[in-house]
Amino acid sequence: MIFDTVIIGGGLAGMVCGIRLAEAGKRCAIVSQGQSAIHFSSGSFELLGRLPDGTAVSDPVEAMDRLREISPEHPYSVLGRQRCEQYAMQVPDLLRAADIPVSGDCRKNHFRITPMGKATPAWLTIRGYLTTEEPEQLPFGKACIINVDGFLDFYPEFIAEEFARHGVACSFGSVNLPDLEKIRKNPSEMRSTNIARVFDHEENLEVLAAKIRECRKECDALILPAIIGLNRNDSLEILKSKVDIPIYLLPTLPPSIPGIKAQQALQHRFRSLGGEYFLGDTVVSANMENGSVKEIFTVNHGNIPFRADNFVLATGSFFSKGLVATPDAIREPVFDADTVFVPERKNWYSMRFFDRHNYQSFGVRTDTELHVVKGDKAIGNLYCIGAGLAGFNPVHDGCGAGVSILSAMYVADRILKGE
Ligand SMILES: Cc1cc2nc3c(=O)[nH]c(=O)nc-3n(C[C@H](O)[C@H](O)[C@H](O)COP(=O)(O)OP(=O)(O)OC[C@H]3O[C@@H](n4cnc5c(N)ncnc54)[C@H](O)[C@@H]3O)c2cc1C
């Protein structure tokens, strides 16, 4: 099979890169082993929430100057502030074109509310989810937090405790209906996706609207877990049209409805532009010729090669097996590329769970143009993008989605310019 570009890995980075190339008319394939991190994500995209020294970031673009001083190996420092800003400005339109309606500004973080009720910095958030401009100030004074009876991936009491710190008084409401009884028979089936399938039916959505209307007394906002709209986009609007106070969604623990929807929407956008998406296939090896990648091989296609002018490694980090830890080294399994990590395993992590862990910054070694380096030599037609890159800590610095998206746009541009 012959393509202009083959992308290995269909997470946020791989899909954004594929969409940019397909938009420009390139024949592009994505080969992806399985679900990606976006499937589990919150419905918000982070650009830069904190500097590595712990300083809170309000304007992510402005903070990239300081980031460059303290972390020159960070992918944003490598790309440069100007380029990062230029790409970041284009992202809302890129996502909206894929039917992911987001709001936010790369020059000012807002705050999303986590499943535990905490405010955390975000760049873009999908419409309908609760956000606030100031972390201490919620857009209501009294809220009713509604849950589905027996749903264990959403914690109204914790959320109410957090909201109380910001002066918001909370009451609680609960919802039940006959179709939910069927899935409740097995408690492990009471997951957001199964509940959302119930509310995808118009008649059940009507019942939900009637039930939450009863909860609206003496409060100025209703809070619902993200358990609606799996296979339809109008669920929240329908509920809003039946209740005369604001309704906000909060993400739940995974599976994540906004994450799954975002993944499906990006996949759909890529395919509708003519891209070929090979889901459930794993790239296992590659042939090199004169220092370039000639072809790659996958589990499902056996000895049928995927050939292309350019290849993009978007296989993610440890979570997606794009990186693998052995007792004393970090490996990149497809190309056996050079990796960046600190020696001695005891330096890889901290015994304190919430501390910054070094292993989260490990990744594939690249040159300044994001070519993959193997045996100290950059491979001219192989790039690395996304969570597999070295030099940044997505958890501590709150920059996971930003690095994936901006590195993907940069590499797509390089490929398109034939650089
Ligand atoms: C659980 C979780 C939740 C997160 N939530 C958020 C959030 O809410 N907001 C935020 O800003 N950031 C979040 N992040 C940070 C996240 O890393 C980035 O946002 C981003 O989604 C990473 O995308 P990626 O495409 O680089 O990698 P991944 O999403 O990891 O995708 C890599 C893909 O490559 C595939 N793959 C791996 N090896 C092979 C192979 N050999 N052959 C073929 N395919 C292969 C995998 O199956 C996977 O589909 C979260 C991260 C995790 C782990």
Side-chain angles (χ1 to χ4, degrees), residues 9 11-13 32-37 41-42 44 46 283 314-315 320 386-387 401 404:
L12 184 58
S32 197
Q33 182 173 282
Q35 301 302 1
S36 68
S41 69
S42 60
S44 289
E46 296 166 347
V283 177
T315 46
S320 295
S404 289

Side-chain angles (χ1 to χ4, degrees), residues 193-208:
T193 38
N194 291 338
I195 297 171
R197 278 189 198 100
V198 169
F199 291 124
D200 276 341
H201 293 287
E202 190 90 36
E203 61 280 11
N204 289 335
L205 202 57
E206 291 289 335
V207 178
L208 178 64

